[in-house]
Amino acid sequence: MPAVTPDFSNTPDAGTPVPRRSSWAEAAAAADQTSPAPSAPITSVPAPTRRPARPPVTAQPQATPQAGQPAEQDSGTPAVAYDGDEAAPPSSYVPEEAPEQAPAFRRIRPTTADIIADSPMPDFISSPGLFVKEQKPRPVGGVRGALYSLTGGAWNMGPSAKQREEDELGRRISRQLQGSYNTAVLSLKGGIGKTSTTVGVGLTLAEFRGDPPCAIDANPDSGDLVERALGEGIYQQASPRTITDLLANIEGVDSLTALARYMHHAGRLHLIAGEQDPEVSDSLTAAEYLRIRKLISNYYSVALTDCGTGVTHNAMSGILQSADNIIIAAGYAVSGAKRARSTLHWLASHGYEDLARNAVVVITDKDEVSSRVDKDAIEEHLAGICRQLIAVPHDRGVADGDLVTLDVLKPETRRAYKEIAASIVDGYR
């Protein structure tokens, strides 16, 4: 076969316009000579329909064919001719199929999953009221309580103002404490309600608090704290363990179970009996009391100490040293009011200013006084020198000097003991 020598005489120069070609291959070859290859792939823009967009077409650069040689034609792409006046597309351009006609716009209803995802997440812990309506407290007693009972709870007018005050006292008494606290109950005169106040307040604390309180009989004069809490007959039948026995074996007490062997229980009120033997009843020293107090602080958050009469006996310095607040027992007799004031002055002048300033004075109407005594004047006289003054009305359940139980006390007496208990817990800081 004879060799054919290509004739390059007909190849146009760079500045010569490209003539119109009659085929798609010739037009593509001319475009490759006049337009540079694209520097980045061209991504087709999907039609505005709800169907997923077509994946972008990655352009593959093609080699520029030699002049006079036809370029390969894509068998699946129709040929398109371009005039010389129009900008020719790059060689990698692939015409996209004609998009289908977009359907008419329709409102798409959000699904349940979309609604849940777009809704804010409620706080189930700090906002329980979003899901459960707050229930009114149940009224107790009175017209409100009767109406509630008759209608089976359908009509709930809520508690009365008096009941709300009682509930508030209960919340104050039951306040959670961080640590162990001690309240000393003392007086300069005997027979004015010191021990009955200790028992009544102790039983009230036991009724409302989650943890049981402890009462210690530190009276050097054969105190009767346990007899007033249990009754004379029950105490005589119980194990005769006293504070002296506890001191003799205190090194072996390393648990609440071991300590319970030396204690008495009036319901949830736990008590340590005082020494009944007159020969050793006054032998409790300040150091020995502090050992008892340290042991009690390991197991009880609230302790009451019945101090006996006076402020100068051997254990008194240890009691006042470990006391967080005090109760001064007084009476409506003129002598009782004067001794209560004298006690506060003695405390303030012997380094116990804080105890005197935060003292709670309790006036017990144990022996009904004559109408000549101005009770209001006595209360006003003592109220100005203490943190709070509370009056306990005359009640035979207290005045008889025997067993003190909350069930037999007047409502006014029980209310007074609740106020005292709330006041001393308020003083625990």
Side-chain angles (χ1 to χ4, degrees):
M1 179 181 292
V4 178
T5 303
D7 185 7
F8 295 99
S9 60
N10 296 329
T11 302
D13 297 334
T16 305
V18 179
R20 178 184 293 261
R21 303 288 189 256
S22 60
S23 67
W24 184 89
E26 294 177 351
D32 289 340
Q33 294 178 0
T34 58
S35 300
S39 59
I42 299 176
T43 304
S44 60
V45 180
T49 63
R50 296 187 182 273
R51 296 188 305 165
R54 180 188 300 274
V57 178
T58 303
Q60 298 294 335
Q62 300 178 0
T64 304
Q66 298 293 333
Q69 294 181 354
E72 287 186 15
Q73 181 174 352
D74 189 355
S75 60
T77 306
V80 180
Y82 293 88
D83 296 331
D85 297 335
E86 298 178 7
S91 59
S92 60
Y93 175 79
V94 178
E96 187 180 16
E97 296 179 3
E100 298 178 3
Q101 185 176 0
F105 177 79
R106 293 185 301 170
R107 181 180 299 275
I108 304 301
R109 297 181 61 183
T111 64
T112 304
D114 295 335
I115 297 175
I116 295 176
D118 295 338
S119 301
M121 178 63 69
D123 191 344
F124 293 90
I125 298 177
S126 61
S127 303
L130 295 175
F131 309 98
V132 181
K133 292 183 179 180
E134 183 178 359
Q135 186 177 4
K136 292 182 180 179
R138 177 180 177 179
V140 179
V143 177
R144 295 169 182 254
L147 186 61
Y148 182 90
S149 300
L150 290 174
T151 61
W155 286 9
N156 186 357
M157 300 177 64
S160 62
K162 182 179 179 180
Q163 183 180 342
R164 290 196 296 270
E165 292 176 0
E166 295 286 334
D167 294 340
E168 177 61 24
L169 286 175
R171 283 190 289 269
R172 290 167 57 192
I173 297 172
S174 60
R175 178 172 65 91
Q176 185 177 5
L177 300 175
Q178 303 297 328
S180 180
Y181 299 87
N182 179 34
T183 297
V185 185
L186 54 94
S187 69
L188 290 182
K189 183 180 182 298
I192 56 176
K194 174 181 56 60
T195 301
S196 61
T197 299
T198 305
V199 176
V201 173
L203 292 173
T204 303
L205 289 168
E207 179 183 5
F208 287 93
R209 292 195 58 80
D211 50 341
C214 176
I216 306 170
D217 190 348
N219 191 338
D221 301 321
S222 300
D224 60 347
L225 176 67
V226 178
E227 291 95 319
R228 299 296 301 275
L230 298 179
E232 186 71 24
I234 297 179
Y235 175 69
Q236 294 298 331
Q237 299 173 6
S239 174
R241 302 277 185 174
T242 65
I243 193 172
T244 305
D245 299 319
L246 177 58
L247 282 169
N249 302 278
I250 195 170
E251 296 297 336
V253 178
D254 56 358
S255 65
L256 184 59
T257 302
L259 179 60
R261 297 176 54 196
Y262 303 92
M263 305 192 74
H264 303 269
H265 301 84
R268 298 182 66 252
L269 174 61
H270 300 179
L271 305 107
I272 299 178
E275 183 56 57
Q276 301 299 307
D277 189 350
E279 294 183 0
V280 296
S281 60
D282 196 23
S283 63
L284 183 66
T285 65
E288 290 173 336
Y289 174 82
L290 289 175
R291 294 181 68 188
I292 296 289
R293 175 70 189 104
K294 182 179 179 181
L295 176 64
I296 295 299
S297 65
N298 294 329
Y299 307 105
Y300 296 91
S301 61
V302 177
L304 303 176
T305 302
D306 188 359
C307 301
T309 303
V311 291
T312 58
H313 58 81
N314 295 336
M316 200 63 202
S317 61
I319 294 173
L320 294 177
Q321 178 182 342
S322 63
D324 296 284
N325 53 26
I326 60 174
I327 294 176
I328 304 295
Y332 279 115
V334 176
S335 59
K338 288 183 177 180
R339 286 185 174 90
R341 184 179 181 89
S342 299
T343 303
L344 292 172
H345 278 295
W346 185 92
L347 292 171
S349 61
H350 286 78
Y352 303 104
E353 294 88 352
D354 290 340
L355 290 180
R357 185 183 308 108
N358 295 315
V360 178
V361 175
V362 177
I363 301 181
T364 302
D365 193 2
K366 188 174 182 180
D367 300 319
E368 291 183 300
V369 296
S370 66
S371 58
R372 295 177 57 246
V373 177
D374 190 345
K375 296 182 180 181
D376 294 336
I378 293 176
E379 293 177 2
E380 183 178 356
H381 176 73
L382 294 174
I385 58 176
C386 63
R387 177 165 61 92
Q388 188 174 1
L389 184 140
I390 301 172
V392 179
H394 180 75
D395 194 323
R396 293 197 55 181
V398 175
D400 289 345
D402 194 8
L403 176 65
V404 176
T405 58
L406 299 180
D407 295 339
V408 300
L409 298 179
K410 296 179 180 179
E412 296 82 4
T413 305
R414 296 194 62 177
R415 169 63 182 263
Y417 285 149
K418 290 176 64 175
E419 292 179 356
I420 298 170
S423 182
I424 65 174
V425 174
D426 289 343
Y428 295 154
R429 302 297 180 188

Coordinates of all heavy atoms in Angstrom, one line a residue, residues 5-19 21 29-30 33-34 64-69:
T5 N 1.0 10.7 2.7 CA 1.6 11.8 3.4 C 0.5 12.8 3.8 O -0.2 13.3 2.9 CB 2.7 12.5 2.6 OG1 3.6 11.5 2.3 CG2 3.3 13.6 3.4
P6 N 0.3 13.1 5.2 CA -0.7 14.1 5.5 C -0.4 15.4 4.9 O 0.7 15.9 4.9 CB -0.7 14.1 7.0 CG 0.2 13.1 7.5 CD 1.0 12.6 6.3
D7 N -1.5 16.1 4.5 CA -1.3 17.4 4.0 C -1.7 18.4 5.0 O -2.9 18.5 5.4 CB -2.2 17.6 2.7 CG -2.0 18.9 2.0 OD1 -1.0 19.6 2.4 OD2 -2.7 19.1 1.1
F8 N -0.7 19.2 5.5 CA -1.0 20.2 6.6 C -1.2 21.6 6.0 O -1.3 22.5 6.7 CB 0.1 20.2 7.6 CG 0.3 19.0 8.3 CD1 1.2 18.0 8.0 CD2 -0.6 18.7 9.4 CE1 1.4 16.9 8.7 CE2 -0.4 17.5 10.1 CZ 0.5 16.6 9.8
S9 N -1.3 21.6 4.7 CA -1.5 23.0 4.1 C -2.8 23.6 4.3 O -3.0 24.8 4.3 CB -1.2 22.9 2.6 OG -2.1 22.0 2.0
N10 N -3.8 22.7 4.6 CA -5.2 23.2 4.9 C -5.5 23.5 6.3 O -6.6 23.8 6.7 CB -6.2 22.2 4.3 CG -6.1 22.0 2.8 OD1 -5.7 23.0 2.1 ND2 -6.4 20.8 2.3
T11 N -4.5 23.2 7.2 CA -4.8 23.5 8.7 C -4.8 24.9 8.9 O -3.9 25.7 8.6 CB -3.7 22.8 9.5 OG1 -3.6 21.4 9.2 CG2 -3.9 23.0 10.9
P12 N -5.9 25.4 9.5 CA -6.0 26.9 9.8 C -5.0 27.3 10.8 O -4.6 26.6 11.7 CB -7.4 27.0 10.2 CG -7.8 25.7 10.8 CD -7.0 24.7 10.0
D13 N -4.6 28.6 10.7 CA -3.7 29.1 11.7 C -4.5 29.5 13.0 O -5.7 29.4 13.0 CB -3.1 30.4 11.2 CG -2.2 30.1 10.0 OD1 -1.7 28.9 9.9 OD2 -2.0 31.0 9.1
A14 N -3.8 29.8 14.0 CA -4.4 30.2 15.3 C -5.4 31.3 15.2 O -6.4 31.4 15.9 CB -3.4 30.4 16.4
G15 N -5.0 32.3 14.3 CA -5.8 33.5 14.3 C -6.9 33.4 13.2 O -7.7 34.3 13.1
T16 N -7.0 32.2 12.5 CA -8.0 32.1 11.5 C -9.3 31.5 12.1 O -9.3 30.6 12.9 CB -7.5 31.1 10.4 OG1 -6.3 31.5 9.9 CG2 -8.5 30.9 9.3
P17 N -10.5 32.1 11.8 CA -11.7 31.6 12.4 C -12.0 30.2 12.0 O -11.6 29.8 10.9 CB -12.8 32.6 11.8 CG -12.0 33.8 11.3 CD -10.7 33.3 10.9
V18 N -12.6 29.5 12.9 CA -12.9 28.1 12.7 C -14.2 28.0 11.8 O -15.2 28.6 12.2 CB -13.2 27.4 14.0 CG1 -13.5 25.9 13.7 CG2 -11.9 27.5 14.9
P19 N -14.1 27.4 10.7 CA -15.3 27.3 9.8 C -16.3 26.3 10.4 O -16.0 25.5 11.3 CB -14.8 26.7 8.5 CG -13.6 25.9 8.9 CD -12.9 26.7 10.0
R21 N -18.7 23.3 10.9 CA -18.6 21.9 10.6 C -19.9 21.2 10.5 O -20.9 21.6 11.1 CB -17.8 21.1 11.7 CG -16.4 21.7 12.0 CD -15.5 21.4 10.9 NE -14.1 21.8 11.2 CZ -13.5 22.9 10.7 NH1 -14.1 23.7 9.9 NH2 -12.3 23.1 11.1
A29 N -14.0 18.6 17.7 CA -12.5 18.7 17.5 C -12.2 20.2 17.4 O -11.1 20.6 18.0 CB -12.1 18.0 16.2
A30 N -13.0 21.0 16.7 CA -12.7 22.4 16.7 C -12.8 23.1 18.0 O -12.1 24.0 18.4 CB -13.7 23.1 15.7
Q33 N -9.7 22.6 20.1 CA -8.6 23.4 19.7 C -8.7 24.8 20.2 O -7.8 25.5 20.5 CB -8.5 23.4 18.2 CG -8.1 22.0 17.6 CD -8.0 22.0 16.1 OE1 -8.2 23.1 15.5 NE2 -7.7 20.9 15.5
T34 N -10.0 25.4 20.4 CA -10.2 26.8 20.7 C -10.4 27.0 22.2 O -10.2 28.1 22.7 CB -11.3 27.3 19.9 OG1 -12.5 26.6 20.2 CG2 -11.0 27.3 18.4
T64 N -6.6 16.0 23.3 CA -7.0 16.8 22.1 C -6.5 16.0 20.8 O -5.3 15.6 20.7 CB -6.2 18.1 22.1 OG1 -6.6 18.8 23.3 CG2 -6.6 19.0 20.9
P65 N -7.4 15.7 19.9 CA -7.0 14.9 18.7 C -6.1 15.7 17.8 O -6.1 17.0 17.8 CB -8.3 14.6 18.1 CG -9.2 15.7 18.5 CD -8.8 16.1 19.9
Q66 N -5.3 15.1 17.0 CA -4.5 15.7 16.0 C -5.4 16.3 14.9 O -6.5 15.8 14.7 CB -3.5 14.7 15.4 CG -2.5 14.1 16.4 CD -1.6 15.1 17.0 OE1 -1.3 16.1 16.3 NE2 -1.1 14.9 18.2
A67 N -4.8 17.3 14.3 CA -5.6 17.9 13.3 C -5.8 16.9 12.1 O -4.9 16.2 11.7 CB -4.8 19.2 12.7
G68 N -7.0 17.0 11.7 CA -7.4 16.1 10.6 C -7.8 14.7 11.0 O -8.3 14.0 10.2
Q69 N -7.7 14.4 12.3 CA -8.2 13.1 12.8 C -9.5 13.3 13.5 O -9.7 14.2 14.3 CB -7.2 12.5 13.8 CG -5.9 12.1 13.2 CD -4.9 11.5 14.2 OE1 -5.3 11.4 15.3 NE2 -3.8 11.0 13.7

